[in-house]
Amino acid sequence: MTLPEAVVVLEQAALSYPSPEGEVPVLNGIDLQVRAGEILAVTGPSGSGKSSLIAIMGGLEQVTGGRAFVKGTDLGKAGEAERTRLRRDFIGVVFQAYHLVPAMTALENVALPLVLARAPDAHERAASMLEAMGLRHRKGHRPAALSGGEQQRVAIARAFVSRPRLILADEPTGNLDQKTGESIISAMFEMARASGTALVLVTHDASLAEACDRRIEIEAGRIRRDSGMLVAQKDRGALHAGLSARAN
Ligand code: ADP
Ligand code: MG
């Protein structure tokens, strides 16, 4: 069986932040491939590097060691313009805090990525995306007039509207109650499945992680487990054997 194309490839990826005391290492020796259509949960304690992992996959931070490829583009070698284009055309992001533009209506927020990309049918596509997210009657509302769950639905519609191949969602239900969170996640899963979009989902919710195709656990900047399999970083052969066994 051939594997679906890899949308993200990290090879010994490392990230450190400068500080007055010197470089602070945050991610180390990350080897990871995310395949087209795969729904991957990222779990791990607070401060372990989950958001940093999302940031390197999204080209928001550049690796300080190893390599990061998205859609075959080496993010370490790509210039700012190329990374911006990749983010716009290929990647959608969803954050815990929604990050909508307060002065814009739901429709305008969702249309924004398409307007920036000069798509002629921006508002029509945004409207049908909002309808798919169950917000037909909220198109003209500004974020302040929407509930947290509705705001996150708008943010998800905005993330999917440009038909990205990769969605990066960093604790998207972190500010929502359990029931609202679950309905939002199922809408997001449905959308990802329908469009064959890869989804990387950072979550603290064990049952949510369980519902994903695959789980990785980050601890102190390293992948400690991959789908329940204990991954000793020094024993990378075992990881690759496990992955190819699963692929067959
Ligand atoms: P998580 O999302 O798992 O809680 P993060 O990726 O946000 O973890 O952070 C991992 C570590 O990197 C933390 O120790 C955090 O303080 C540090 N860190 C994150 N962003 C920065 C930054 N911009 N500058 C310096 N240190 C940072
Ligand atoms: Mg985080």
Side-chain angles (χ1 to χ4, degrees), residues 5 16 29 37 39 44-45 53 64 87 101 109 129 142 167 173 175 179 181 202 219 230:
E5 147 214 22
S16 56
I39 298 186
L53 183 65
T64 48
R87 276 202 297 275
V101 182
N109 267 282
M129 194 56 74
R142 294 206 165 74
I167 295 274
T173 62
N175 285 353
K179 191 161 157 279
V202 175
E219 202 185 289
L230 191 63

Side-chain angles (χ1 to χ4, degrees), residues 6 31 64 70 78 107 129 133 144 157 160 177-178 183 193 197 222 236:
D31 282 318
T64 48
V70 170
L107 184 69
M129 194 56 74
M133 287 303 290
F160 275 96
D177 63 70
Q178 177 99 13
S183 77
R193 293 284 187 222
T197 306
R222 291 179 175 272
R236 223 170 287 122

Side-chain angles (χ1 to χ4, degrees), residues 161-192:
V161 78
S162 28
R163 304 188 186 112
R165 305 316 299 147
L166 172 66
I167 295 274
L168 302 171
D170 195 351
E171 303 193 40
T173 62
N175 285 353
L176 303 171
D177 63 70
Q178 177 99 13
K179 191 161 157 279
T180 306
E182 278 167 12
S183 77
I184 284 201
I185 290 294
S186 66
M188 192 157 63
F189 276 26
E190 237 170 72
M191 211 158 257

Side-chain angles (χ1 to χ4, degrees), residues 223-243:
I223 296 177
R224 290 301 181 201
R225 284 171 193 272
D226 194 322
S227 282
M229 178 173 50
L230 191 63
V231 179
Q233 287 282 314
K234 56 183 185 296
D235 189 9
R236 223 170 287 122
L239 167 62
H240 288 145
L243 285 179

Side-chain angles (χ1 to χ4, degrees), residues 13-165:
L15 178 68
S16 56
Y17 292 109
S19 87
E21 291 80 42
E23 296 283 303
V24 180
V26 168
L27 293 173
N28 253 307
I30 302 279
D31 282 318
L32 179 67
Q33 299 200 352
V34 183
R35 303 265 161 198
E38 184 171 39
I39 298 186
L40 172 71
V42 179
T43 64
S46 188
S48 57
K50 305 180 298 298
S51 294
S52 300
L53 183 65
I54 293 286
I56 62 174
M57 288 184 184
L60 300 166
E61 293 283 354
Q62 284 195 279
V63 291
T64 48
R67 300 204 291 175
F69 300 87
V70 170
K71 205 188 175 219
T73 301
D74 186 336
L75 293 178
K77 292 198 177 125
E80 185 53 43
E82 196 176 354
R83 283 187 290 136
T84 302
R85 184 157 14 90
L86 200 64
R87 276 202 297 275
R88 190 192 67 199
D89 297 341
F90 192 74
I91 303 172
V93 287
V94 180
F95 300 101
Q96 180 169 350
Y98 325 130
H99 293 214
L100 299 175
V101 182
M104 290 186 173
T105 65
L107 184 69
E108 288 163 348
N109 267 282
V110 177
L112 186 59
L114 298 176
V115 169
L116 293 175
R118 297 194 173 81
D121 51 353
H123 288 85
E124 289 81 353
R125 278 166 64 186
S128 65
M129 194 56 74
L130 275 172
E131 286 167 21
M133 287 303 290
L135 292 173
R136 176 186 294 272
H137 306 295
R138 294 287 182 271
K139 287 176 205 162
H141 290 54
R142 294 206 165 74
L146 299 171
S147 71
E150 287 171 336
Q151 289 184 62
Q152 195 60 302
R153 283 175 182 270
V154 174
I156 290 168
R158 179 182 58 184
F160 275 96
V161 78
S162 28
R163 304 188 186 112
R165 305 316 299 147

